[in-house]
Each structure stands twice: as structure tokens, then as C-alpha cells.
Amino acid sequence: MSDQPTTAPVTAESIEQALLSFLEERTKTAVPPTQDLFASGLVSSMFAMELVVHLEQHYEVAIVGADLKLDNFRTVRQMTELVLRLRDASAAVGGA
Amino acid sequence: MSEKPATVKCLVWDLDNTLWQGTLLEDDQVTLPDAVRELIVTLDSRGILQSVSSKNDYDLAWAKLEALGLAEYFVLPQIGWGPKSNSVRTIAERLKFAHGTIAFIDDQPAERAEVTFHLPDVRCYPADQLLTLAELPEFSPETVTVDSRRRRQMYQAGFEREAEQAAFSGPDEDFLRSLKLEMSIERATGEQLSRVEELTLRTSQMNATGVHYSDATLRGLLADPGHEVLVTTMADRFGPHGAVGVMLLATGADVWHLKLLATSCRVVSFGAGAAILNWLIDEAAQAGAHLVADFRRTDRNRMMEIAYRFAGFTAEPCACVAGLAEPGAPDIERLHLVPERRDPHPTLQLTAPALAADHLAARA
Ligand SMILES: [Zn+2]
């Protein structure tokens, strides 16, 4: 799986699917979209940073300041919401 | 006339007629001069790593090094039939060392020329210079500490660890738990600060503040009742990691101010930064003090920002920040946290001073 920006249309479903396969590949475990990855020990603090960078590169968003908080990364669903919100915000100001 | 040359971090040895006298595949007997054995042991004690690049049969040559009692001194031996420049490049890559910190010794001018042609920054020495090597400034590091004497073992343990991680299938935390990580946070002594300084010289660090505190400044605060200078060391079942981090903390009654937190890149993947923060937050909660951390964004400390943010630090204002002296530079941010008790870190065994209890007692 590459970290190239995606060209397919980005929807909640596509982000969720891509994240689930990324996690499955990386942790060798299948995870439901609402599982708390930190509570279950699937994600170490190191891997958390890898996740931040993965989302930024794959979806061309910048995750900074107050958005960098654990609660935005606990589950696949929360990460999906974060990516959608950041993409909408950058589209709304006409940014690329 | 010229500056002291950069210290050699790894010396790569040829074997036939360089390390030993004779040609392994032709002669019945090769001999090892005592002076060569002494040189190998001396360089090892100075923290200079040693490797091998030899055109030889791997099994035979390695068995000979074992029989001579020298095999343990060499990391990443390259014994085979490829060009020596490839061996030296591979060694530098695996060690993550710049070519300018690698030296190569060989009795054959053609081999030295081949290495120089492809790797001009590698310093090459003829075998007849062997006996003077230990006297050369580039083989004489200025500081030699407990960690430099153990450097080779730390690297060897690192390679074993990498191999196990590559073979491990399962969640991150399970692997980390299998390492049986031990972290020890201690109040610094002069000797420990030397190890920290060596760490800052040799490895790039995750320096959260981007502000450098000199060895002298830190030494000056060792006895200051308003400051804690803390050094972190780590070990796991493969062996020691040595001194991996340093903290400078100003401990007021209402606010603890983390002025410096730096950890070695070598232990970032074990979550060392997060583990240190987890402990500090728990101690501050017991002391009833808010926590403020200085942070200056650089192009290489993003991980540290994420560690702070994921631990709960934010840029939201608090009255406690107003009472602190102005930051030393305009681009230093102050991240803030109202601490709550934390559970012990899930994947490592921690030993640390009772910071909160000590400060409450001092004030009683
Ligand atoms: Zn406060």
C-alpha cells in the first residue's frame, strides 16, 4: 500500500475501507471500525505517529494544533470523520 | 594547520595479510600478531565499531575469527566475493553512519583504490600503518564513557532486536511487551551528564524545545532545589540501550515547567517519549501542579509534538503560564496540561524517583 495521494473519489466509505486494510496489514489483525485501537493495545504511541503521517499524505490534509489529539485517532470511524472534516474545510476556502 | 579530523565510528578490516598474516585459502596456517589483537580490543574499548570486508569463504573465515577469539568484536561482517566498495557501503547503510565516519584497512592497493573510487569519503589505510592506528587523532575520541565501552554490544543487540521484530506477527504492543523493556529515570550525576552529552553528539535527538542547554548549564542546575535534571536509561532482554534521554524540569508549587525533554531516536520506536511523559504527568498530578512544556517546532521534532498532544497537552491558555519567565525565543510555544493520575505504562517496567512525594515533603 503506497502513501501516494488517492485519485479515486473520497467518501466516508472509501476512507474507512482503506484505513481498515492499512491497519489490518500493519497490525496483522482485522479490526471493526468502532474498536478503540489504543485501549485494545493494537496501536502503540509510535504507530500513532505513523497513522498521523499516513492520513496526511494519503488524503492531502494537514493535521495540526488542536486536531492532534488522541480522541481523533481512537477508532477508524473517528479518523474517517477527521479526514472528511479537514478536506471539507480546505475545499470551502478554495484551497487545494 | 588543520582541524582535528572527524572521529572514525567504524573500522572495516580486510583479513588476509592485514588482520592476520597469511592467506586462509592457500596457507595451512595463518597467524595473528599480538599487536593486532591489542589494537582490536583497544578500538573496541574506545567505542569504535569494527567490521570485516574480506574476499574469502564465509564459513572458513568466520570459523577462523571464532577460533582466534575475535569474532565477537565484529559487527555486520561482509565475507564473500563481491567488490569491497559494496561491502563498505552496506556496512555504512546498516549502521546509518556517514561514509566520512568509516575507515577501511587493507594490504592491497587495488582494493583501497576500488573503495576510494566508489566511496571517496571513506578513509583508507594500508596494512603497514596498522600499528600506528591507535595513536591517530581520528581513532582517539575525546570522551569515552560507559556507553561507548558498551557500544558494540548495543549495536549487536539492536540487530537481534530488528531481526525478531521483522519475524514477529501480531500487534505492536505484543512485540514491545515481548522485549521486556526496562526504563530507569534517575536524578542526574556528573557522570550521567557526560553520557547524555555523548548521546547528543553522536545521535540526532528528538529535542522537544529545539533549545540547546549546554552541559555546563545542566551541571549548574544539578544542586538547584528548584530544578530537577533527570536522565533516562533503557534496557531490554537483548541488552542495554544506555542513556537515552534527558529532562530539565523547574518544579514550582503550582506548576511544573518542562524546559527540556530530549530522547534518542534509537528508542522512539519503543515509545520512550510517551512513557516518560506518562510518568511525569502522574507525578505532577500527585504534586497537585499543572504541567507546562516548552516546544519549538523544527523540521525534525514532529514526533515529539504528537507525543505531547496525544498525552493531552494543548495550547489553551491558563493562569499558571503567566507566572513563568518569558521563553528564551519568540517561537517557543508553551503547551499546557492539567494532570490527572495515569496508569503505569503497559509495555515497560519503570523505576523512577518519587518526585511528587519529595517535593511535597520539602515544602511541608
Ligand atoms: Zn495551568
Side-chain angles (χ1 to χ4, degrees):
Chain A
M1 183 148 191
S2 84
D3 266 336
Q4 291 308 305
T6 176
T7 47
V10 173
T11 63
E13 291 72 34
S14 73
I15 299 173
E16 200 165 290
Q17 270 318 309
L19 265 176
L20 289 174
S21 12
F22 175 68
L23 279 167
E24 188 169 339
E25 182 184 287
R26 189 60 184 67
T27 67
K28 292 138 187 153
T29 314
V31 291
T34 51
Q35 179 175 341
D36 185 337
L37 303 166
F38 288 86
S40 53
L42 277 173
V43 169
S44 62
S45 52
M46 178 63 186
F47 185 31
M49 305 188 192
E50 209 179 309
L51 270 176
V52 174
V53 173
H54 172 78
L55 292 179
E56 289 188 328
Q57 291 181 348
H58 208 72
Y59 296 103
E60 296 183 289
V61 293
I63 308 172
V64 296
D67 284 327
L68 271 182
K69 61 177 176 191
L70 195 52
D71 282 344
N72 281 339
F73 294 85
R74 280 195 182 280
T75 66
V76 166
R77 188 134 303 158
Q78 282 162 330
M79 285 186 262
T80 304
E81 283 166 14
L82 174 70
V83 169
L84 283 175
R85 182 160 60 73
L86 292 173
R87 285 179 67 94
D88 286 351
S90 80
V93 297
Chain B
M1 192 178 84
S2 59
E3 289 175 36
K4 183 179 190 296
T7 303
V8 168
K9 290 162 79 172
C10 179
L11 172 65
V12 181
W13 287 83
D14 167 52
L15 297 178
D16 289 336
N17 293 310
T18 301
L19 187 134
W20 55 56
Q21 291 306 307
T23 304
L24 193 60
L25 293 176
E26 295 169 7
D27 302 332
D28 292 342
Q29 205 57 281
V30 298
T31 56
L32 178 80
D34 286 342
V36 171
R37 183 188 298 276
E38 276 166 36
L39 175 65
I40 291 169
V41 173
T42 300
L43 295 180
D44 186 68
S45 72
R46 293 179 186 176
I48 296 171
L49 299 178
Q50 295 172 85
S51 185
V52 171
S53 169
S54 171
K55 291 181 176 166
N56 247 315
D57 176 85
Y58 183 92
D59 292 339
L60 272 180
W62 192 249
K64 178 53 81 177
L65 284 170
E66 282 182 329
L68 292 168
L70 290 176
E72 63 178 291
Y73 289 96
F74 297 101
V75 297
L76 304 169
Q78 308 291 309
I79 302 169
W81 304 102
K84 295 208 170 187
S85 58
N86 280 1
S87 316
V88 175
R89 185 183 292 112
T90 301
I91 293 164
E93 267 168 25
R94 292 283 314 275
L95 292 172
K96 301 186 180 77
F97 287 176
H99 293 161
T101 65
I102 308 277
F104 172 67
I105 187 159
D106 197 310
D107 63 308
Q108 301 283 324
E111 298 290 8
R112 300 197 300 273
E114 193 269 336
V115 168
T116 300
F117 180 80
H118 292 285
L119 308 168
D121 291 342
V122 170
R123 281 168 276 180
C124 295
Y125 300 83
D128 53 23
Q129 225 185 307
L130 211 148
L131 296 181
T132 62
L133 234 47
E135 318 301 325
L136 297 176
E138 60 266 41
F139 290 93
S140 311
E142 261 158 39
T143 52
V144 174
T145 67
V146 183
D147 285 347
S148 41
R149 288 190 287 274
R150 286 198 302 219
R151 176 159 303 118
R152 187 228 329 147
Q153 283 139 287
M154 293 200 269
Y155 273 89
Q156 283 165 334
F159 296 134
E160 283 179 54
R161 203 177 284 125
E162 278 171 23
E164 287 224 3
Q165 185 154 23
F168 195 88
S169 62
D172 267 23
E173 286 213 1
D174 287 358
F175 175 72
L176 292 176
R177 204 170 281 120
S178 79
L179 286 177
K180 305 215 180 314
L181 288 159
E182 289 168 23
M183 175 183 275
S184 166
I185 299 174
E186 288 171 85
R187 293 193 165 99
T189 61
E191 145 79 13
Q192 280 167 325
L193 280 186
S194 309
R195 295 167 72 186
V196 169
E197 198 187 24
E198 195 195 25
L199 170 100
T200 61
L201 287 175
R202 289 190 70 104
T203 69
S204 49
Q205 285 195 98
M206 306 292 300
N207 188 329
T209 41
V211 179
H212 183 70
Y213 285 83
S214 72
D215 187 57
T217 309
L218 291 177
R219 265 169 219 275
L221 292 169
L222 286 181
D224 184 315
H227 282 88
E228 295 277 4
V229 184
L230 300 156
V231 169
T232 302
T233 52
M234 279 179 83
D236 64 27
R237 68 187 166 90
F238 294 102
H241 293 274
V244 297
V246 63
M247 260 182 284
L248 174 63
L249 184 72
T251 47
D254 304 318
V255 57
W256 284 8
H257 179 195
L258 187 55
K259 297 175 167 180
L260 168 70
L261 171 58
T263 60
S264 160
C265 290
R266 287 183 290 119
V267 294
V268 165
S269 58
F270 307 129
I276 292 170
L277 286 178
N278 189 67
W279 167 75
L280 187 62
I281 291 166
D282 189 56
E283 287 292 327
Q286 294 178 59
H290 287 192
L291 261 179
V292 174
D294 285 353
F295 177 75
R296 174 156 73 180
R297 191 166 289 116
T298 67
D299 54 6
R300 54 174 75 179
N301 67 0
R302 180 112 204 270
M303 301 265 242
M304 203 53 119
E305 178 179 17
I306 297 173
Y308 279 128
R309 297 278 185 173
F310 276 33
F313 283 83
T314 71
E316 279 161 39
C318 176
C320 74
V321 181
L324 301 175
E326 283 295 307
D331 52 350
I332 294 178
E333 287 178 56
R334 288 202 156 141
L335 296 170
H336 175 267
L337 174 77
V338 181
E340 285 168 16
R341 292 298 309 267
R342 296 285 168 119
D343 290 330
H345 194 275
T347 55
L348 57 75
Q349 191 74 41
L350 179 76
T351 333
L355 227 52
D358 291 351
H359 284 275
L360 291 172
R363 244 167 237 123

mmCIF file of all heavy atoms in Angstrom, chain B residues 91-124:
data_model
loop_
_atom_site.group_PDB
_atom_site.id
_atom_site.type_symbol
_atom_site.label_atom_id
_atom_site.label_comp_id
_atom_site.label_asym_id
_atom_site.label_seq_id
_atom_site.Cartn_x
_atom_site.Cartn_y
_atom_site.Cartn_z
ATOM 1 N N ILE B 91 27.767 -1.841 5.026
ATOM 2 C CA ILE B 91 28.029 -1.648 6.456
ATOM 3 C C ILE B 91 27.584 -0.250 6.884
ATOM 4 O O ILE B 91 26.893 -0.085 7.899
ATOM 5 C CB ILE B 91 29.539 -1.870 6.754
ATOM 6 C CG1 ILE B 91 29.901 -3.341 6.524
ATOM 7 C CG2 ILE B 91 29.885 -1.423 8.166
ATOM 8 C CD1 ILE B 91 31.395 -3.594 6.411
ATOM 9 N N ALA B 92 27.938 0.763 6.086
ATOM 10 C CA ALA B 92 27.571 2.143 6.429
ATOM 11 C C ALA B 92 26.056 2.305 6.461
ATOM 12 O O ALA B 92 25.502 2.940 7.365
ATOM 13 C CB ALA B 92 28.183 3.118 5.420
ATOM 14 N N GLU B 93 25.379 1.686 5.485
ATOM 15 C CA GLU B 93 23.912 1.803 5.442
ATOM 16 C C GLU B 93 23.256 1.157 6.647
ATOM 17 O O GLU B 93 22.375 1.735 7.274
ATOM 18 C CB GLU B 93 23.361 1.131 4.167
ATOM 19 C CG GLU B 93 23.200 2.097 3.008
ATOM 20 C CD GLU B 93 22.935 1.381 1.686
ATOM 21 O OE1 GLU B 93 22.419 0.235 1.709
ATOM 22 O OE2 GLU B 93 23.266 1.972 0.640
ATOM 23 N N ARG B 94 23.714 -0.058 6.966
ATOM 24 C CA ARG B 94 23.084 -0.770 8.087
ATOM 25 C C ARG B 94 23.335 -0.050 9.410
ATOM 26 O O ARG B 94 22.501 -0.052 10.305
ATOM 27 C CB ARG B 94 23.601 -2.215 8.171
ATOM 28 C CG ARG B 94 23.170 -3.111 7.025
ATOM 29 C CD ARG B 94 21.725 -3.594 7.138
ATOM 30 N NE ARG B 94 21.333 -4.093 8.463
ATOM 31 C CZ ARG B 94 21.526 -5.332 8.880
ATOM 32 N NH1 ARG B 94 22.086 -6.224 8.096
ATOM 33 N NH2 ARG B 94 21.136 -5.709 10.084
ATOM 34 N N LEU B 95 24.508 0.581 9.538
ATOM 35 C CA LEU B 95 24.818 1.293 10.779
ATOM 36 C C LEU B 95 24.242 2.707 10.786
ATOM 37 O O LEU B 95 24.256 3.373 11.804
ATOM 38 C CB LEU B 95 26.338 1.373 10.980
ATOM 39 C CG LEU B 95 27.058 0.059 11.274
ATOM 40 C CD1 LEU B 95 28.564 0.275 11.260
ATOM 41 C CD2 LEU B 95 26.620 -0.499 12.625
ATOM 42 N N LYS B 96 23.752 3.169 9.627
ATOM 43 C CA LYS B 96 23.283 4.543 9.456
ATOM 44 C C LYS B 96 24.413 5.542 9.758
ATOM 45 O O LYS B 96 24.215 6.572 10.390
ATOM 46 C CB LYS B 96 22.050 4.836 10.316
ATOM 47 C CG LYS B 96 20.874 3.915 10.002
ATOM 48 C CD LYS B 96 19.624 4.344 10.770
ATOM 49 C CE LYS B 96 18.438 3.437 10.473
ATOM 50 N NZ LYS B 96 18.523 2.120 11.191
ATOM 51 N N PHE B 97 25.625 5.211 9.336
ATOM 52 C CA PHE B 97 26.781 6.089 9.508
ATOM 53 C C PHE B 97 27.108 6.765 8.185
ATOM 54 O O PHE B 97 27.016 6.141 7.120
ATOM 55 C CB PHE B 97 28.027 5.296 9.940
ATOM 56 C CG PHE B 97 28.017 4.815 11.366
ATOM 57 C CD1 PHE B 97 29.050 4.007 11.843
ATOM 58 C CD2 PHE B 97 26.991 5.167 12.243
ATOM 59 C CE1 PHE B 97 29.058 3.548 13.160
ATOM 60 C CE2 PHE B 97 26.990 4.711 13.558
ATOM 61 C CZ PHE B 97 28.025 3.907 14.013
ATOM 62 N N ALA B 98 27.538 8.031 8.245
ATOM 63 C CA ALA B 98 28.006 8.722 7.040
ATOM 64 C C ALA B 98 29.326 8.084 6.588
ATOM 65 O O ALA B 98 30.105 7.586 7.422
ATOM 66 C CB ALA B 98 28.210 10.201 7.344
ATOM 67 N N HIS B 99 29.572 8.093 5.264
ATOM 68 C CA HIS B 99 30.809 7.490 4.759
ATOM 69 C C HIS B 99 32.052 8.125 5.363
ATOM 70 O O HIS B 99 33.078 7.483 5.532
ATOM 71 C CB HIS B 99 30.866 7.584 3.224
ATOM 72 C CG HIS B 99 29.821 6.741 2.549
ATOM 73 N ND1 HIS B 99 29.414 6.926 1.258
ATOM 74 C CD2 HIS B 99 29.074 5.708 3.020
ATOM 75 C CE1 HIS B 99 28.470 6.035 0.960
ATOM 76 N NE2 HIS B 99 28.247 5.293 2.011
ATOM 77 N N GLY B 100 31.964 9.409 5.692
ATOM 78 C CA GLY B 100 33.093 10.116 6.283
ATOM 79 C C GLY B 100 33.478 9.622 7.673
ATOM 80 O O GLY B 100 34.506 10.025 8.202
ATOM 81 N N THR B 101 32.638 8.772 8.280
ATOM 82 C CA THR B 101 32.973 8.251 9.608
ATOM 83 C C THR B 101 33.430 6.795 9.537
ATOM 84 O O THR B 101 33.615 6.147 10.547
ATOM 85 C CB THR B 101 31.763 8.336 10.569
ATOM 86 O OG1 THR B 101 30.734 7.466 10.079
ATOM 87 C CG2 THR B 101 31.230 9.757 10.654
ATOM 88 N N ILE B 102 33.608 6.284 8.306
ATOM 89 C CA ILE B 102 34.032 4.891 8.120
ATOM 90 C C ILE B 102 35.499 4.876 7.684
ATOM 91 O O ILE B 102 35.930 5.706 6.877
ATOM 92 C CB ILE B 102 33.193 4.202 7.016
ATOM 93 C CG1 ILE B 102 31.697 4.360 7.264
ATOM 94 C CG2 ILE B 102 33.595 2.749 6.839
ATOM 95 C CD1 ILE B 102 31.081 3.391 8.221
ATOM 96 N N ALA B 103 36.257 3.913 8.225
ATOM 97 C CA ALA B 103 37.643 3.724 7.787
ATOM 98 C C ALA B 103 37.787 2.291 7.273
ATOM 99 O O ALA B 103 37.048 1.393 7.684
ATOM 100 C CB ALA B 103 38.601 3.971 8.937
ATOM 101 N N PHE B 104 38.743 2.091 6.355
ATOM 102 C CA PHE B 104 38.932 0.786 5.718
ATOM 103 C C PHE B 104 40.419 0.490 5.695
ATOM 104 O O PHE B 104 41.224 1.346 5.308
ATOM 105 C CB PHE B 104 38.356 0.854 4.299
ATOM 106 C CG PHE B 104 38.648 -0.345 3.439
ATOM 107 C CD1 PHE B 104 38.088 -1.593 3.738
ATOM 108 C CD2 PHE B 104 39.448 -0.239 2.310
ATOM 109 C CE1 PHE B 104 38.348 -2.699 2.925
ATOM 110 C CE2 PHE B 104 39.705 -1.337 1.497
ATOM 111 C CZ PHE B 104 39.153 -2.574 1.801
ATOM 112 N N ILE B 105 40.799 -0.698 6.139
ATOM 113 C CA ILE B 105 42.220 -1.040 6.131
ATOM 114 C C ILE B 105 42.442 -2.328 5.345
ATOM 115 O O ILE B 105 41.737 -3.307 5.535
ATOM 116 C CB ILE B 105 42.795 -1.133 7.569
ATOM 117 C CG1 ILE B 105 44.316 -1.314 7.507
ATOM 118 C CG2 ILE B 105 42.136 -2.237 8.396
ATOM 119 C CD1 ILE B 105 45.029 -0.934 8.776
ATOM 120 N N ASP B 106 43.418 -2.287 4.424
ATOM 121 C CA ASP B 106 43.646 -3.412 3.513
ATOM 122 C C ASP B 106 45.095 -3.341 3.023
ATOM 123 O O ASP B 106 45.611 -2.253 2.778
ATOM 124 C CB ASP B 106 42.670 -3.305 2.324
ATOM 125 C CG ASP B 106 42.539 -4.624 1.561
ATOM 126 O OD1 ASP B 106 43.581 -5.213 1.198
ATOM 127 O OD2 ASP B 106 41.398 -5.048 1.329
ATOM 128 N N ASP B 107 45.737 -4.525 2.865
ATOM 129 C CA ASP B 107 47.126 -4.521 2.384
ATOM 130 C C ASP B 107 47.206 -4.315 0.869
ATOM 131 O O ASP B 107 48.263 -3.952 0.359
ATOM 132 C CB ASP B 107 47.819 -5.839 2.761
ATOM 133 C CG ASP B 107 47.156 -7.030 2.078
ATOM 134 O OD1 ASP B 107 45.913 -7.161 2.199
ATOM 135 O OD2 ASP B 107 47.860 -7.809 1.415
ATOM 136 N N GLN B 108 46.098 -4.523 0.139
ATOM 137 C CA GLN B 108 46.130 -4.438 -1.324
ATOM 138 C C GLN B 108 45.795 -3.023 -1.806
ATOM 139 O O GLN B 108 44.672 -2.559 -1.610
ATOM 140 C CB GLN B 108 45.081 -5.393 -1.922
ATOM 141 C CG GLN B 108 45.262 -6.842 -1.561
ATOM 142 C CD GLN B 108 46.368 -7.501 -2.346
ATOM 143 O OE1 GLN B 108 46.573 -7.186 -3.529
ATOM 144 N NE2 GLN B 108 47.107 -8.382 -1.695
ATOM 145 N N PRO B 109 46.759 -2.368 -2.493
ATOM 146 C CA PRO B 109 46.476 -1.022 -3.012
ATOM 147 C C PRO B 109 45.259 -1.017 -3.946
ATOM 148 O O PRO B 109 44.473 -0.063 -3.937
ATOM 149 C CB PRO B 109 47.751 -0.667 -3.790
ATOM 150 C CG PRO B 109 48.811 -1.558 -3.251
ATOM 151 C CD PRO B 109 48.131 -2.808 -2.772
ATOM 152 N N ALA B 110 45.072 -2.078 -4.721
ATOM 153 C CA ALA B 110 43.959 -2.109 -5.674
ATOM 154 C C ALA B 110 42.615 -2.087 -4.944
ATOM 155 O O ALA B 110 41.661 -1.452 -5.389
ATOM 156 C CB ALA B 110 44.061 -3.344 -6.551
ATOM 157 N N GLU B 111 42.544 -2.796 -3.818
ATOM 158 C CA GLU B 111 41.290 -2.813 -3.061
ATOM 159 C C GLU B 111 41.002 -1.439 -2.460
ATOM 160 O O GLU B 111 39.864 -0.967 -2.459
ATOM 161 C CB GLU B 111 41.350 -3.869 -1.935
ATOM 162 C CG GLU B 111 41.523 -5.298 -2.414
ATOM 163 C CD GLU B 111 40.287 -5.862 -3.130
ATOM 164 O OE1 GLU B 111 39.335 -5.099 -3.402
ATOM 165 O OE2 GLU B 111 40.285 -7.064 -3.435
ATOM 166 N N ARG B 112 42.050 -0.796 -1.942
ATOM 167 C CA ARG B 112 41.850 0.544 -1.368
ATOM 168 C C ARG B 112 41.421 1.513 -2.470
ATOM 169 O O ARG B 112 40.539 2.349 -2.273
ATOM 170 C CB ARG B 112 43.134 1.031 -0.678
ATOM 171 C CG ARG B 112 43.590 0.132 0.468
ATOM 172 C CD ARG B 112 44.585 0.842 1.372
ATOM 173 N NE ARG B 112 45.802 1.261 0.673
ATOM 174 C CZ ARG B 112 46.892 0.495 0.492
ATOM 175 N NH1 ARG B 112 46.922 -0.747 0.966
ATOM 176 N NH2 ARG B 112 47.951 0.956 -0.141
ATOM 177 N N ALA B 113 42.034 1.369 -3.652
ATOM 178 C CA ALA B 113 41.690 2.262 -4.762
ATOM 179 C C ALA B 113 40.240 2.038 -5.195
ATOM 180 O O ALA B 113 39.517 2.990 -5.507
ATOM 181 C CB ALA B 113 42.632 2.016 -5.938
ATOM 182 N N GLU B 114 39.808 0.783 -5.181
ATOM 183 C CA GLU B 114 38.426 0.473 -5.592
ATOM 184 C C GLU B 114 37.429 1.115 -4.621
ATOM 185 O O GLU B 114 36.421 1.693 -5.022
ATOM 186 C CB GLU B 114 38.240 -1.046 -5.666
ATOM 187 C CG GLU B 114 36.969 -1.496 -6.380
ATOM 188 C CD GLU B 114 35.788 -1.681 -5.451
ATOM 189 O OE1 GLU B 114 35.998 -1.914 -4.228
ATOM 190 O OE2 GLU B 114 34.640 -1.578 -5.918
ATOM 191 N N VAL B 115 37.736 1.021 -3.325
ATOM 192 C CA VAL B 115 36.850 1.629 -2.324
ATOM 193 C C VAL B 115 36.864 3.149 -2.473
ATOM 194 O O VAL B 115 35.808 3.794 -2.478
ATOM 195 C CB VAL B 115 37.267 1.199 -0.895
ATOM 196 C CG1 VAL B 115 36.545 2.037 0.163
ATOM 197 C CG2 VAL B 115 36.974 -0.285 -0.679
ATOM 198 N N THR B 116 38.050 3.722 -2.631
ATOM 199 C CA THR B 116 38.157 5.183 -2.771
ATOM 200 C C THR B 116 37.427 5.691 -4.007
ATOM 201 O O THR B 116 36.790 6.729 -3.987
ATOM 202 C CB THR B 116 39.641 5.594 -2.846
ATOM 203 O OG1 THR B 116 40.276 5.168 -1.646
ATOM 204 C CG2 THR B 116 39.795 7.097 -3.001
ATOM 205 N N PHE B 117 37.516 4.908 -5.111
ATOM 206 C CA PHE B 117 36.877 5.318 -6.360
ATOM 207 C C PHE B 117 35.366 5.457 -6.178
ATOM 208 O O PHE B 117 34.755 6.436 -6.588
ATOM 209 C CB PHE B 117 37.181 4.306 -7.468
ATOM 210 C CG PHE B 117 36.548 4.670 -8.787
ATOM 211 C CD1 PHE B 117 37.139 5.620 -9.611
ATOM 212 C CD2 PHE B 117 35.349 4.081 -9.185
ATOM 213 C CE1 PHE B 117 36.541 5.971 -10.822
ATOM 214 C CE2 PHE B 117 34.759 4.425 -10.395
ATOM 215 C CZ PHE B 117 35.361 5.364 -11.209
ATOM 216 N N HIS B 118 34.749 4.464 -5.508
ATOM 217 C CA HIS B 118 33.294 4.483 -5.358
ATOM 218 C C HIS B 118 32.839 5.257 -4.128
ATOM 219 O O HIS B 118 31.733 5.785 -4.096
ATOM 220 C CB HIS B 118 32.753 3.046 -5.298
ATOM 221 C CG HIS B 118 32.897 2.313 -6.601
ATOM 222 N ND1 HIS B 118 32.086 2.558 -7.670
ATOM 223 C CD2 HIS B 118 33.787 1.375 -6.996
ATOM 224 C CE1 HIS B 118 32.452 1.786 -8.694
ATOM 225 N NE2 HIS B 118 33.492 1.064 -8.303
ATOM 226 N N LEU B 119 33.679 5.272 -3.095
ATOM 227 C CA LEU B 119 33.282 5.912 -1.834
ATOM 228 C C LEU B 119 34.393 6.873 -1.404
ATOM 229 O O LEU B 119 35.151 6.584 -0.473
ATOM 230 C CB LEU B 119 33.059 4.846 -0.750
ATOM 231 C CG LEU B 119 32.108 3.688 -1.108
ATOM 232 C CD1 LEU B 119 32.207 2.582 -0.070
ATOM 233 C CD2 LEU B 119 30.660 4.184 -1.192
ATOM 234 N N PRO B 120 34.496 8.023 -2.070
ATOM 235 C CA PRO B 120 35.641 8.912 -1.824
ATOM 236 C C PRO B 120 35.739 9.416 -0.374
ATOM 237 O O PRO B 120 36.828 9.805 0.048
ATOM 238 C CB PRO B 120 35.393 10.072 -2.797
ATOM 239 C CG PRO B 120 33.971 9.954 -3.232
ATOM 240 C CD PRO B 120 33.595 8.518 -3.111
ATOM 241 N N ASP B 121 34.619 9.402 0.376
ATOM 242 C CA ASP B 121 34.671 9.919 1.745
ATOM 243 C C ASP B 121 35.223 8.913 2.753
ATOM 244 O O ASP B 121 35.552 9.267 3.881
ATOM 245 C CB ASP B 121 33.275 10.367 2.199
ATOM 246 C CG ASP B 121 32.822 11.610 1.454
ATOM 247 O OD1 ASP B 121 33.698 12.295 0.869
ATOM 248 O OD2 ASP B 121 31.614 11.889 1.445
ATOM 249 N N VAL B 122 35.278 7.629 2.364
ATOM 250 C CA VAL B 122 35.789 6.610 3.285
ATOM 251 C C VAL B 122 37.308 6.751 3.371
ATOM 252 O O VAL B 122 37.990 6.863 2.354
ATOM 253 C CB VAL B 122 35.395 5.191 2.800
ATOM 254 C CG1 VAL B 122 36.126 4.125 3.597
ATOM 255 C CG2 VAL B 122 33.882 5.006 2.882
ATOM 256 N N ARG B 123 37.829 6.772 4.610
ATOM 257 C CA ARG B 123 39.278 6.900 4.768
ATOM 258 C C ARG B 123 39.931 5.526 4.688
ATOM 259 O O ARG B 123 39.548 4.611 5.413
ATOM 260 C CB ARG B 123 39.595 7.580 6.104
ATOM 261 C CG ARG B 123 39.401 9.103 6.027
ATOM 262 C CD ARG B 123 39.436 9.744 7.380
ATOM 263 N NE ARG B 123 38.132 9.661 8.023
ATOM 264 C CZ ARG B 123 37.882 10.150 9.236
ATOM 265 N NH1 ARG B 123 38.845 10.720 9.939
ATOM 266 N NH2 ARG B 123 36.671 10.067 9.748
ATOM 267 N N CYS B 124 40.921 5.374 3.775
ATOM 268 C CA CYS B 124 41.570 4.087 3.569
ATOM 269 C C CYS B 124 42.988 4.103 4.131
ATOM 270 O O CYS B 124 43.716 5.088 3.982
ATOM 271 C CB CYS B 124 41.616 3.754 2.077
ATOM 272 S SG CYS B 124 39.979 3.506 1.382
#
